[in-house]
Amino acid sequence: MSGVKRFICGDEAVAEGVRLARPHVVSAYPITPQTIVVERLSEYVEEGSLKARYMHVESEHSAMSCAIGASSVGARAFTATSSQGLLYMAETLPYASGARLPIVMMNANRSIATPWNIYGDQMDAMFLLNSGWIQYYVEDAQEALDMMIQGYRLAEDPEVMTPVMINVDGFVLTHTYELVEIPLQEAVDGFLPPLKMPLNSMSLESPKSLCISAGNDTNMEFNMKQHFDMLRSASAIEAVDRAFGETFGRTYHGALEAIDTEDARVVLITAGTVTGTARGVVKALRAAGKKVGLIKLRVLRPFPVQRLIEALKGVEAVGVLDKNISFGYEGTIFTNVNSALMAGQMSPKTLGFIGGIGGRDITKANLEEAYGKLFEVLEGADLDRVQYLNVRCDY
Amino acid sequence: MVKLNAKTLHNEEYFYGHKACGGCGESLALRHAMKVLGPNTFAALPAGCMAAVSFIYPNMAFTTNAMITPFAATGAVASGIAAGLEALGIDGTQTIGIAGDGGTADIGFQALSGAIDRNDDIIYLATDNEAYMNTGIQKSGLTPYGTRTTTSPAGKNLPGSVNQKKNMFEIVAAHGIAYAATASVGYLEDFLAKVAKAKETRGTSYIHVFVPCPTGWGYPAHKTVSLAKAAVDSGLWYLAEYEKGAFKLNRNPGSFTPVADYLKAQSRFRHLTEEDISRIEAARDAKWENMRRQWQG
């Protein structure tokens, strides 16, 4: 079943995806570059094409708190934010995940102040990597739309019951127009049926106390159960994407997409929109006879350790592109990938590449340079473990 | 409506088995509010004494639906519950947010304001014991002048807290809220009637109930109700309503009992000098003059 194609921006694609997912409650506070999402959703509610309650909240903290309240009685809830807004609501994220509330949130990835900057990097979401939310990173507007629908199906899976954050790169994706297929409502309804009252919902039939306190005699067990359910959600992530493919004719290869990795000597790992640029670079380098590959990391939590290990078998050098800095160490994805390689008892050369901070361009030339450095390392060059792309200062 | 009192109120309990201190005024307010609101209530409580004593796994003190909210989020979570229930078409419920003085006047103020602005169909019950009791008696925005707390010590240089108590009732009323009231656990029938009225109100209601705390205030546990009465009788607290844009004093005593008797019964005020007490009396008189002039028409 194919829908109509429309020329829309990433934020509008998110809004279309949310409308198709039929949330009961949308609670949101505006922040650039997320605003178009909530503007469209409020229009849909006004015109009646989305039968939801649109809650005008006074902050991101309340946006998530309203979603928590709505979700706690079994309503489908959506919110969207970005950057400082995500950090402002930070304490409510583990609240939602600890209570096992299947909320879906779009985060428009944006730089963190100070210095102030509205453009895209992925520092914001990295702060919340430990929040107990499943984290996706998408490449284009179609994937942004589709993941709103997949997000609810995954979050509401009784075996998962974990909130999902869909990360959409600020401006590069939120404000860029692309041709996007809008799925048919009936197809989405078939794929994503109405949320059945989850077992942990407050209800008149079965009153409950939620978000309870658990002392040192039980607290660790609650956390362990949450952690292991999150680990096990890795298989649901694959299954949901496969099922999506069966209905809509396109999949995203689950937690990661491996491109030309099978015979690759060097592989670059990316998350988000920069993957599109990297695809072009890989194509060009392949055409020039270079054995390069690319891994598009779509999910950072649960971290797809096994799939990474499989995809990187036989690879001699791995580069990781981070649009974030963990101040005082390195890029966060780099740390995670190195740990996964250790888990797989694999020891390729690895280099971290930090770029795109505060919306700095990551060009084809930058990525060619990254692949070049990976080959240099293979030839014995002694390079710094962490490389910085397109920087205009000494450091 | 039947007048609610000890004879007419039913014997069902929806809040019991909690671990609050003996003589706790706040749990007394909750117990009675829940009796008025009934079994179809959804309660949202932030961090604070009532959450701390009522949700200790596996012993839950609410027999109705209830949840702990992030500290700053009572108004927002309650709003979300009400919106979710409405969207799902679940009728005949009552959502209530219940927060202490700090959870209301300080950290939860913004979310409360947002909820009133949306006129969400919830009741917000502010239980005011005039300090952060759960964390060990620290000063809040509703701690009155001259109070000794663990963060407003009284000594040579300071008389304890030097702020005035924020006027939450009028701040809330200034939003144009559907219904607002003040109450005291010393005058339970008045409180019960106000909870019942809030339950009947469509849109947001706010009840600010004065709840003495033996642990934080330093008085014997059996004196909670008499001190809650004394606060009203001495004019340091007042019983009032805001409805359809108008204020109304429910109790307008011809004369006040001595402020010193109320203050000196509590260790948190025992250090106050004659001068401090005169200052408190002067502030009380100015407040009453204003209320009588502006509200009594």
Side-chain angles (χ1 to χ4, degrees):
Chain A
M1 279 190 281
S2 60
V4 291
K5 288 198 171 167
R6 288 183 53 209
F7 192 62
I8 57 177
C9 70
D11 271 351
E12 288 173 326
V14 168
E16 290 285 0
V18 173
R19 171 161 62 179
L20 289 164
R22 300 186 191 269
H24 296 100
V25 172
V26 175
S27 53
Y29 187 83
I31 179 168
T32 305
Q34 151 266 38
T35 38
I36 299 168
V37 176
V38 296
E39 288 167 5
R40 292 297 167 272
L41 288 173
S42 64
E43 288 164 14
Y44 298 160
V45 171
E46 188 280 330
E47 72 191 20
S49 65
L50 171 58
K51 303 260 184 291
R53 168 79 194 279
Y54 187 98
M55 302 184 79
H56 297 91
V57 289
E58 83 302 328
S59 71
E60 288 89 356
H61 193 282
S62 284
M64 182 54 69
S65 296
C66 280
I68 287 170
S71 187
S72 72
V73 295
R76 193 173 276 166
F78 176 78
T79 188
T81 190
S82 177
S83 181
Q84 310 297 130
L86 182 68
L87 267 57
Y88 190 46
M89 67 164 68
E91 68 139 342
T92 64
L93 267 65
Y95 229 88
S97 62
R100 311 299 297 270
L101 300 175
I103 299 165
V104 172
M105 168 164 65
M106 173 264 199
N107 179 50
N109 296 110
R110 168 184 147 181
S111 169
I112 294 294
T114 59
W116 280 94
N117 177 305
I118 57 168
Y119 298 104
D121 62 38
Q122 295 169 345
M123 297 280 271
D124 53 2
M126 295 300 154
F127 275 86
L128 278 309
L129 212 52
N130 293 344
S131 63
W133 283 57
I134 291 169
Q135 277 202 2
Y136 281 93
Y137 291 75
V138 303
E139 182 181 353
D140 57 28
Q142 185 71 61
E143 189 180 1
L145 185 156
D146 292 345
M147 286 315 297
M148 297 301 139
I149 298 161
Q150 282 202 28
Y152 280 105
R153 167 117 170 209
L154 177 68
E156 294 169 3
D157 182 328
E159 301 295 315
V160 177
M161 287 302 287
T162 296
V164 172
M165 181 193 303
I166 315 288
N167 288 286
V168 179
D169 281 325
F171 288 105
V172 175
L173 180 46
T174 59
H175 286 60
T176 300
Y177 283 74
E178 298 177 58
L179 202 57
V180 174
E181 184 182 313
I182 318 290
L184 296 174
Q185 184 70 62
E186 66 222 60
V188 175
D189 290 346
F191 177 79
L192 180 67
L195 173 58
K196 285 203 191 85
M197 182 71 77
L199 282 175
N200 62 339
S201 291
M202 296 197 290
S203 70
L204 292 178
E205 296 72 30
S206 173
K208 286 175 197 71
S209 289
L210 290 194
C211 305
I212 46 104
S213 52
N216 52 9
D217 52 341
T218 53
N219 196 290
M220 187 158 176
E221 286 67 29
F222 277 104
N223 280 276
M224 291 292 285
K225 283 178 184 298
Q226 184 180 347
H227 173 52
F228 276 87
D229 280 358
M230 171 83 107
L231 289 173
R232 281 189 284 265
S233 74
S235 58
I237 285 169
E238 304 298 327
V240 166
D241 193 42
R242 269 197 307 275
F244 188 88
E246 285 158 20
T247 305
F248 300 98
R250 55 179 173 271
T251 74
Y252 296 96
H253 312 276
L256 61 83
E257 179 184 356
I259 300 137
D260 289 340
T261 52
E262 279 185 12
D263 64 339
R265 294 188 67 206
V266 307
V267 163
L268 189 63
I269 298 177
T270 56
T273 49
V274 72
T275 308
T277 314
R279 285 179 197 272
V281 170
V282 166
K283 208 170 177 182
L285 290 175
R286 279 274 168 181
K290 304 268 190 194
K291 292 200 164 177
V292 297
L294 173 67
I295 288 176
K296 170 188 172 184
L297 201 47
R298 300 183 63 242
V299 178
L300 287 193
R301 285 293 180 276
F303 198 66
V305 177
Q306 285 310 319
R307 288 213 49 203
L308 261 182
I309 289 170
E310 284 159 30
L312 290 172
K313 257 183 202 139
V315 175
E316 296 165 68
V318 177
V320 178
L321 184 57
D322 269 293
K323 288 170 74 171
N324 72 86
I325 306 173
S326 178
F327 293 116
Y329 195 26
E330 57 192 19
T332 301
I333 305 177
F334 186 49
T335 309
N336 280 264
V337 168
N338 277 312
S339 163
L341 290 169
M342 287 290 287
Q345 296 182 311
M346 298 158 79
S347 48
K349 304 280 185 194
T350 63
L351 283 181
F353 296 96
I354 288 176
I357 303 300
R360 176 64 51 83
D361 280 341
I362 301 173
T363 63
K364 279 187 182 178
N366 296 147
L367 296 181
E368 282 161 10
E369 178 193 332
Y371 278 111
K373 286 193 169 160
L374 289 166
F375 279 113
E376 279 177 47
V377 166
L378 283 189
E379 283 150 24
D382 184 22
L383 300 183
D384 289 341
R385 267 182 99 232
V386 182
Q387 302 283 316
Y388 301 86
L389 301 176
N390 206 359
V391 183
R392 298 171 190 166
C393 71
D394 298 324
Y395 49 88
Chain B
M1 202 189 315
V2 181
K3 194 174 181 332
L4 291 171
N5 55 37
K7 283 183 187 157
T8 59
L9 200 59
H10 58 75
N11 289 326
E12 295 297 318
E13 300 289 349
Y14 305 107
F15 178 67
Y16 62 91
H18 54 74
K19 294 181 168 60
C21 309
C24 171
E26 198 174 11
S27 60
L28 185 65
L30 257 67
R31 177 184 165 212
H32 285 85
M34 292 302 293
K35 282 166 87 78
V36 176
L37 297 176
N40 292 354
T41 303
F42 289 70
L45 299 82
C49 285
M50 291 301 97
V53 303
S54 309
F55 295 82
I56 305 165
Y57 180 81
N59 302 310
M60 303 296 140
F62 283 91
T63 66
T64 70
N65 288 291
M67 68 185 284
I68 305 181
T69 75
F71 201 0
T74 314
V77 172
S79 276
I81 292 171
L85 291 169
E86 189 189 343
L88 293 169
I90 300 170
D91 297 326
T93 65
Q94 176 64 58
T95 305
I96 183 169
I98 305 169
D101 42 284
T104 299
D106 296 340
I107 195 168
F109 185 76
Q110 179 175 303
L112 168 61
S113 180
I116 302 171
D117 179 41
R118 288 185 299 272
N119 197 27
D120 287 323
D121 192 12
I122 62 169
I123 299 172
Y124 191 104
L125 179 64
T127 49
D128 182 6
N129 54 24
E130 303 196 317
Y132 290 94
M133 299 313 184
N134 187 45
T135 41
I137 320 161
Q138 291 84 20
K139 187 205 163 300
S140 82
L142 295 184
T143 303
Y145 177 84
T147 310
R148 181 203 299 272
T149 72
T150 55
T151 54
S152 60
K156 266 191 303 214
N157 300 308
L158 290 171
S161 169
V162 294
N163 302 54
Q164 296 302 321
K165 192 178 170 77
K166 281 191 204 175
N167 191 341
M168 279 305 298
F169 172 56
E170 288 175 63
I171 291 168
V172 162
H175 286 71
I177 192 170
Y179 176 68
T182 60
S184 164
V185 288
Y187 289 94
L188 263 187
E189 290 179 19
D190 173 78
F191 175 57
L192 296 174
K194 286 168 176 172
V195 175
K197 199 184 261 188
K199 189 183 179 186
E200 294 307 311
T201 302
R202 293 299 108 211
T204 312
S205 300
Y206 175 89
I207 299 175
H208 192 121
V209 62
F210 189 82
V211 290
C213 168
T215 312
W217 295 9
Y219 67 82
H222 67 274
K223 286 196 171 171
T224 293
V225 171
S226 59
L227 271 175
K229 274 192 168 72
V232 174
D233 297 346
S234 64
L236 291 179
W237 188 241
Y238 55 97
L239 305 181
E241 287 175 297
Y242 173 87
E243 216 177 342
K244 300 189 176 79
F247 289 96
K248 184 169 79 182
L249 270 173
N250 304 118
R251 196 179 173 82
N252 190 3
S255 63
F256 296 123
T257 55
V259 159
D261 291 355
Y262 168 75
L263 297 174
K264 293 296 183 182
Q266 308 168 48
S267 66
R268 63 174 177 154
F269 292 127
R270 214 154 278 154
H271 61 281
L272 293 179
T273 62
E274 290 294 319
E275 195 189 339
D276 292 326
I277 291 172
S278 299
R279 183 178 168 151
I280 290 167
E281 276 173 343
R284 172 200 66 184
D285 292 345
K287 171 77 184 157
W288 276 90
E289 197 194 322
N290 273 332
M291 289 194 295
R292 284 168 172 149
R293 194 179 61 241
Q294 292 169 10
W295 300 354
Q296 294 301 99

